[in-house]
Amino acid sequence: MEKIDIDDLDKRILNALQDDASQTNHQLAERVHASAPTCLRRVKRLVDAGVIARQVALLAPEKLGPALTAVVEITLDQQGDERQVEFEALVAGEAAVLQCYRVSPGPDFVLMVQVADMPAYHALAHRLFATHKNVRNVRSYFSIHRSKFETRIAV
C-alpha cells in the first residue's frame, strides 16, 4: 500500500473526522477553516486513497447488557504463512473477535474478544481453539475494568 502525501488541511480534516464523523460537510469545512467544495474534494481523496478506511459508530458495550472482554494470546503449532492465513480466516468469520493481530515475539496472534459472559467465551474457545488442530496454546486475560479506549490515530 502506497503512502500518500497529506498537508495541514488534510490533517485537520482527519482529526475532525476522528472526533465526529457524523458532522455534515459544511460543519466539517467550518471546523477546519476551508470551503465546503474543497473539504468535500479532500475527504473524497482521503477515502479513495484508503486513508479513511471506514466511518462507524462506536457503541458503549456496558449500555447494551452484560459483556466480557478478553485479550487472547494464540500460539500455533505450525507457524508457516499458509497456516497463519488459515487461522486469520477462521477468526475473521467470528463476530465476537473484534481485532486480530499477528505479533512477534511471543505468541503468534493476539485477539480482542467481546462476548456476553463466561459460558459464551467457553463456547467460542471450544469452537475456535479447542477444535482447531493447529492451535498449540491459548492464554486468555479477562478485563475487569476498561480505563481507556481510543480509536484516534495521531496525524
Side-chain angles (χ1 to χ4, degrees), residues 4-132:
I4 71 161
D5 292 324
I6 59 172
D7 62 15
D8 186 58
L9 177 56
D10 292 327
K11 289 177 184 178
R12 291 195 315 267
I13 289 170
L14 291 170
N15 281 320
L17 288 174
Q18 286 186 98
D19 285 340
D20 181 5
S22 69
Q23 58 194 310
T24 67
N25 183 59
H26 288 294
Q27 291 169 325
L28 178 62
E30 186 175 300
R31 184 168 173 188
V32 300
H33 308 291
S35 71
T38 296
C39 197
L40 191 62
R41 277 193 307 275
R42 293 291 187 109
V43 170
K44 182 178 180 342
R45 177 178 155 265
L46 293 166
V47 168
D48 291 346
V51 174
I52 298 173
R54 299 187 293 175
Q55 294 182 6
V56 299
L58 298 176
L59 306 181
E62 68 279 2
K63 302 285 186 183
L64 298 171
L68 178 65
T69 301
V71 180
V72 184
E73 296 178 351
I74 304 293
T75 303
L76 301 179
D77 198 33
Q78 299 172 2
Q79 289 88 12
D81 194 50
E82 263 182 48
R83 303 300 287 200
Q84 290 183 340
V85 169
E86 177 184 287
F87 182 78
E88 288 169 332
L90 175 71
V91 298
E94 183 63 53
V97 177
L98 303 179
Q99 299 172 36
C100 175
Y101 300 94
R102 282 192 199 186
V103 296
S104 178
D108 298 308
F109 291 94
V110 172
L111 310 178
M112 294 300 297
V113 173
Q114 180 93 40
V115 292
D117 51 24
M118 193 55 79
Y121 176 78
H122 183 265
L124 173 96
H126 180 73
R127 193 169 55 249
L128 291 182
F129 315 137
T131 59
H132 194 276

